[in-house]
Amino acid sequence: IRDILKKKIFKEIPVRRIVLSGSVLKNRTDWSEFENAGVSVYNDCADNDYVLYLSQMLIVGTGMGGKTGFYGFESTVVNRFFLGGHSSYFNGDKFIRKYWIPLMNLSDVNNGAIDYRKESFIRHYLIDKFVYFSGPIISFCLMIGILLMLINFCINYFKILI
């Protein structure tokens, strides 16, 4: 996103709002550059977006900001939590009309934080934190496993050739 906004066309067209949904960005993403430019980021999170657990655990360099929200830049990022799963925003156009069109029109609507989640210490704290902290370890173990399989394949392949 940062690189796209640096392109010449975006210097001519002012971008004031960015809407993310189901984002695979890390929840500690640095938004200071947007804060300094006066850009607001709306991060729509789905409470049941378990696909982002897989992203956090299996894909190096990604995260689950679209499930847990972003931390540390509250003046720039507005985390909005909704019920539903990864693609729930696109079930019909009701959600888009209610929450995204007013943002794109720069309407004077209530653009503050929304939180429709049901409180759950186990789900929103224990499981989210477990996935957050175990994700890099699991990714590393998977990479080592794949590397060992590749080495084993090469050893066996070259035995056949010799």
Side-chain angles (χ1 to χ4, degrees), residues 13-76:
I13 303 171
V15 174
R16 295 287 167 240
R17 295 181 180 165
I18 296 171
V19 178
L20 304 172
S21 63
S23 173
V24 297
L25 296 173
K26 295 180 180 185
N27 57 9
R28 298 272 183 207
T29 298
D30 181 1
W31 295 101
S32 59
E33 195 171 323
F34 295 95
E35 185 175 35
N36 298 336
V39 176
S40 298
V41 177
Y42 291 85
N43 181 41
D44 289 348
C45 306
D47 192 36
N48 297 327
D49 197 345
Y50 300 115
V51 170
L52 295 180
Y53 282 165
L54 294 174
S55 167
Q56 173 75 26
M57 291 190 296
L58 302 177
I59 303 171
V60 177
T62 64
M64 54 182 185
K67 174 147 181 30
T68 60
F70 296 112
Y71 308 120
F73 293 91
E74 284 74 16
S75 63
T76 302

Side-chain angles (χ1 to χ4, degrees), residues 85-140:
H86 190 65
S87 60
S88 59
Y89 314 104
F90 305 107
N91 295 336
D93 63 356
K94 186 177 177 182
F95 183 91
I96 294 169
R97 287 182 187 278
K98 184 173 181 178
Y99 295 105
W100 290 354
I101 298 294
L103 289 175
M104 297 303 114
N105 289 335
L106 302 178
S107 298
D108 187 22
V109 296
N110 179 5
N111 294 324
I114 296 170
D115 195 344
Y116 292 123
R117 297 175 295 179
K118 295 177 181 141
E119 284 301 314
S120 171
F121 176 78
I122 292 173
R123 223 165 102 195
H124 297 134
Y125 187 78
L126 291 180
I127 295 175
D128 286 355
K129 294 298 180 199
F130 172 78
V131 171
Y132 176 76
F133 288 111
S134 67
I137 296 166
I138 292 170
S139 293
F140 177 75

